[in-house]
Amino acid sequence: MTKLVIVKRQLFANVLAVLVCACGSDASRTVDRGQPPDASFFNPGNGSGGDGYGSGGQKPDGGTVDAGPPPCPEEWKACKEAFTYPVGNETSVELRGDFRSDGWTNGVAMLKSGNAWTASVNIPYNKKVLYKFLTNGTTWTFDPAQPTITDASNNTNNVREPVKCAAPLCEEPGALAAGVYDWRDAVIYFVFVDRFNDGNAANNCNVSGVSSSLVNYMGGDWAGLKKKIDDSYFSDLGVNTLWITVPADNADEKGKGAGQDNNFYSAYHGYWPKTLDPKSPESCFGTAADLKALIASAHGKSIKVLFDYAMVHVHKSAQVFTQNPTWFWSQYDGARNCICGQDCDWNTDAKRCWFTDYLPHWNYTSAPARAYSVQNAVDWVTEYGIDGLRLDAIKHVDDQWLTDLRGKLTTDVLAKQSPQQRFFLVGETFSYAQSDIKYYVDPSAKLDGQFDFPERLALVKSVLMRKSDMSELATFLDQNDGAYGANAVMSPFIGNHDLGRVIHMAEDAPLWDEWSNNDKARAWTNQPTQPTTASAFERLANAYAVLFTNRGAPLLYYGDELGLAGAGDPDNRRMMPWSGLSANQTTLRDRVSTLLKIRASHPATRRGKRTTMSVTSATWLYKLSATGDELYVAINRGDVSSTVTGLPSGNYTELLTNATVVGGSITVPARQARVYVGK
Ligand SMILES: [Ca+2]
Ligand SMILES: [Ca+2]
């Protein structure tokens, strides 16, 4: 089984096209999207892992209060069991075994009581346990009262046959100490500050000579965002974390796009930092006091705040560059003009090439440069008391910068907290290869997680574009769930600021796919109008039903809760509409809100174990279970009503329609999701 999984992962990594990131420069959108992966992108077949409902004796409780213990995934159940060893002339005895993941290396010290050494430990429910005793810290000894078993490698252990205790404990993996925020509970919303809400016309900026109003400042600011926080827009929507664009002061001049892009842009996006001082943030968005007020409002509503942090480069007008040129790579490398995508390569020169000729790339092999930059990131954190950072284009900085940052956050920020929180570092590596993304994920030394581009692709292909089967999505997600390590908190998403707006991929005839670049072709001219057919909105709602009932800290790109229209960058950054919404748009937003309320009240959606009950080309029914919580999610991405099998007998409340439903075969209308909880 293990071998099969490894083979599949290697296959997965091999067939995926690796993408090159120009993310964050915003001088250019020359992302090379590579070649489309072939049909084996998804590992087809064997999508229905459902093993029915009867194995654990768990059933909907029929509405009675005392119907038995709360539901618990089989894998989390444990039984408290006593182990004993007869007292001899030894001075210490440890119990070691596979009753827990580190049980062979970290023993449980046994206590001497009368004629026996004893230890009471939690062992997995209904699973065979192998164990031995270590006496005096040196000698392996067997339990004389229990049988032994010798494996093919000639290792002999005691064996305890599977135990089914009457009242098993439920031990959730990854549970945190009281008072420590669990980032698996986060729902992130990306606020593109300049495009969100203009709360103060007096601070509006205008850069002359840019190619379109789409790439000039539009007036959004921190006061406008604060107003929406205060008006409970995010609380009503179900969002509890905001990622806001880079707050550092940016260059005030125009800049030409990189490479073949001859358009002129402004720094409305925040990725051309000029003044790094946290006390003097971008005046086009407000004052330091405005930014602090925004954060106070957010925290007052239990909303966390992540700043976007741009650490790959500064603008050439930055004083830190003009005064410390050796802290930056030279634009010229001998004979080469080291611009990414020109004489230097986006990949092989990733950590030194300039995105364009006015964006000097930090040289983090220089210790003083690295120390200055890391200190600056920490200064932003402490000045504003934020909860995490989103790190732009992480593959373009040396690893040492990231590990230094993690270390300094631990010593300078977390060490002063009680209890110590988890400072959330989420990165962006624009790739559909899990291996590229995973490289930076290590909550103890690097990132807590990254945006999950492979999951995004799977969701878009199956639910929005209907190009691949739901069974392929199920198989992909089963493999993807553990792909980044047990402690990672990945951020799955559907849309972001570098991709054409996803509503157009959900239309009856999608306007572009992942590989055609047609979203870019319409970014400046022939821009798409707002879709009006309900079907596109229903498909997007369906994708959200999957996104919001699965693990990770999901990301919602501003406007995508309304199915906002737009081609590729820069048309994917239109001003957020606050009036004139269609019924389809408000219905979609209401559905997002309902799904996020379900997510908030059901831990099984955030950290539960998922089991496929039935899956076909167009439908998927899965069970989610966590300690004391169990629900079923049915998705029909097809354009006709479908019968879905696998919902166990019993009575349920369907949470999206408030209907009472009887288990068995259920009917799910075209392009709809359903969420069932036992009554
Ligand atoms: Ca403004
Ligand atoms: Ca500025």
Side-chain angles (χ1 to χ4, degrees), residues 198 200-201 203-204 219-221:
D198 186 356
N200 177 10
N203 60 23
N204 291 3
D221 51 35

Side-chain angles (χ1 to χ4, degrees), residues 374-375 378-379 381-382 402-418 420-421 423 425 444:
V374 166
Q375 184 63 53
V378 172
D379 286 348
V381 170
T382 52
L402 183 53
T403 53
D404 283 4
L405 176 66
R406 179 60 83 181
K408 200 155 185 63
L409 287 167
T410 302
T411 56
D412 291 16
V413 178
L414 300 189
K416 295 170 183 166
Q417 299 173 344
S418 180
Q420 286 192 21
Q421 299 295 322
F423 190 87
L425 292 180
S444 65

Side-chain angles (χ1 to χ4, degrees), residues 81-132:
E81 280 285 298
F83 288 76
T84 60
Y85 182 77
V87 168
N89 57 5
E90 67 283 325
T91 56
S92 72
V93 183
E94 281 180 34
L95 169 67
R96 296 203 181 191
D98 63 2
F99 46 88
R100 66 178 191 216
S101 59
D102 65 344
W104 281 118
T105 49
N106 288 321
V108 175
M110 302 183 82
L111 294 175
K112 197 169 175 179
S113 174
N115 293 328
W117 296 89
T118 65
S120 188
V121 299
N122 296 343
I123 65 171
Y125 178 86
N126 199 23
K127 281 204 180 117
K128 185 185 288 184
V129 170
L130 301 177
Y131 68 101
K132 268 187 288 209

Side-chain angles (χ1 to χ4, degrees), residues 613-628:
M613 307 303 290
S614 73
V615 67
T616 67
S617 60
T619 68
W620 186 20
L621 174 71
Y622 49 91
K623 176 173 80 170
L624 299 167
S625 48
T627 310

Side-chain angles (χ1 to χ4, degrees), residues 248-404:
D249 176 36
N250 267 229
D252 304 317
E253 59 199 77
K254 69 179 179 183
K256 188 185 97 54
Q260 306 304 308
D261 182 359
N262 290 316
N263 293 297
F264 282 88
Y265 297 75
S266 74
Y268 71 97
H269 41 71
Y271 294 119
W272 299 352
K274 181 181 72 176
T275 309
L276 303 186
D277 182 0
K279 294 186 189 311
S280 304
E282 177 54 64
S283 58
C284 301
F285 302 148
T287 64
D290 291 337
L291 186 51
K292 286 184 175 173
L294 177 169
I295 291 158
S297 276
H299 285 169
K301 287 188 177 281
S302 298
I303 294 172
K304 309 247 176 236
V305 179
L306 315 177
F307 281 175
D308 209 332
Y309 191 79
M311 66 293 180
V312 174
H313 52 241
V314 296
H315 190 265
K316 67 178 181 184
S317 61
Q319 201 175 60
V320 69
F321 170 63
T322 56
Q323 293 186 346
N324 308 280
T326 60
W327 288 2
F328 295 81
W329 291 107
S330 170
Q331 181 180 341
Y332 299 96
D333 169 21
R336 285 195 309 177
N337 184 6
C338 194
I339 305 292
C340 310
Q342 296 181 30
D343 287 352
C344 275
D345 185 82
W346 276 109
N347 282 319
T348 53
D349 302 308
K351 290 173 172 39
R352 63 151 296 172
C353 68
W354 292 27
F355 285 15
T356 187
D357 64 4
Y358 49 86
L359 297 176
H361 194 138
W362 282 96
N363 177 359
Y364 291 131
T365 65
S366 157
R370 200 168 65 241
Y372 182 95
S373 173
V374 166
Q375 184 63 53
N376 182 253
V378 172
D379 286 348
W380 280 94
V381 170
T382 52
E383 178 71 17
Y384 292 98
I386 54 170
D387 310 287
L389 292 170
R390 179 265 183 187
L391 298 173
D392 185 51
I394 189 70
K395 69 183 272 190
H396 292 279
V397 304
D398 292 85
D399 295 359
Q400 188 72 43
W401 182 91
L402 183 53
T403 53
D404 283 4

